Amino acid sequence: MMAITFRTWVRAELEAVWAVVLDSVENPQRYMSDVEAVRVLERLQGGITKELTIRGMEYAPGCFDFFVFERGTLKKIKSTENDNVCASGVFDSFVFESSIIREVTVRGVPYRERIRISNKERKIHRELIDHPACSGKIIVKAVPCSVQNPMAPVDLQFFLELKSMKGAKEETEEMTGEIKKEQQRLKEKAEELEASALRVL
């Protein structure tokens, strides 16, 4: 599993940055140069996802019945077959208002993504469903560096957790590079929108 974080400062208001991020959900071809076609397969209502990430579970035997958390962090696993088994892990939940499943075609190869959108958190989860080179998720988040100052830069964050398919390491690395370019295009577009709005004023 490859975990990478990309961060860049965007000199635009939060609403402008978020508008561009939402536009990239419906129109990824504007921000990803290799996208040849895109279509929305399904639109779904919101909900909540819960995810438990446990490191070292492959070494923990038995069937686990109870999970003990402290402030969202997994502290202990209890089993009816074994005594307490300690493991590090994180429990995370994500409330989203809407989601879509889209099909993206890159260089003649289509794949699907499930995208969950939280306008409240200014955050989207992109889950790769049947990508030919890798599996995993991409989380995009827009974070204001100052709540009091609306003109302060916005931290545009991309969190990648990708696992290469067998023999597809180079393709995964290439995809990571394209995501970095996508982030840069989002930044440029948001700053263009901000500049246009200021000229109108």
Side-chain angles (χ1 to χ4, degrees):
M1 177 73 72
M2 175 177 62
I4 302 176
T5 300
F6 295 139
R7 301 176 67 177
T8 187
W9 293 106
V10 184
R11 300 200 172 277
E13 290 191 21
L14 178 61
E15 293 304 323
V17 177
W18 184 241
V20 172
V21 171
L22 290 179
D23 184 54
S24 72
V25 172
E26 299 281 348
N27 302 289
Q29 70 278 9
R30 295 177 180 172
Y31 308 92
M32 301 164 68
S33 59
D34 289 339
V35 171
E36 299 166 351
V38 60
R39 64 189 179 115
V40 175
L41 302 177
E42 194 172 358
R43 294 185 186 274
L44 305 167
Q45 293 182 342
I48 183 169
T49 62
K50 295 182 179 181
E51 183 177 87
L52 177 62
T53 303
I54 302 175
R55 294 176 177 83
M57 276 295 288
E58 61 270 25
Y59 306 113
C63 299
F64 304 103
D65 305 306
F66 304 100
F67 298 90
V68 180
F69 295 92
E70 183 178 310
R71 296 184 180 179
T73 301
L74 180 67
K75 293 298 183 182
K76 196 177 293 183
I77 301 173
K78 294 184 178 181
S79 169
T80 54
E81 297 180 7
N82 302 286
D83 292 332
N84 294 341
V85 179
C86 294
S88 61
V90 176
F91 178 78
D92 186 33
S93 62
F94 175 59
V95 179
F96 57 97
E97 292 89 25
S98 62
S99 68
I100 69 168
I101 296 176
R102 72 181 184 188
E103 182 184 78
V104 179
T105 301
V106 177
R107 299 175 186 172
V109 179
Y111 68 90
R112 292 173 298 154
E113 287 184 327
R114 179 181 290 107
I115 302 178
R116 298 181 176 97
I117 303 166
S118 172
N119 290 297
K120 183 178 180 180
E121 294 186 39
R122 299 292 196 271
K123 185 177 181 181
I124 65 171
H125 282 205
R126 290 166 49 185
E127 177 190 353
L128 302 177
I129 298 176
D130 53 6
H131 193 279
C134 59
S135 60
K137 63 184 177 181
I138 303 162
I139 298 173
V140 182
K141 190 171 184 180
V143 182
C145 69
S146 173
V147 178
Q148 288 81 17
N149 182 6
M151 298 305 294
V154 173
D155 186 7
L156 181 59
Q157 305 171 353
F158 275 59
F159 303 98
L160 284 62
E161 291 184 6
L162 303 175
K163 183 177 181 181
S164 300
M165 301 295 187
K166 188 175 181 180
K169 185 177 180 181
E170 289 184 8
E171 288 86 346
T172 302
E173 291 175 352
E174 185 177 346
M175 179 183 178
T176 302
E178 287 300 317
I179 291 171
K180 181 67 174 173
K181 292 177 184 177
E182 177 189 358
Q183 182 190 44
Q184 181 62 29
R185 291 189 184 98
L186 288 168
K187 167 186 166 72
E188 292 169 357
K189 182 64 175 177
E191 291 178 344
E192 286 174 13
L193 283 176
E194 187 72 15
S196 298
L198 290 175
R199 282 196 294 270
V200 170
L201 295 175

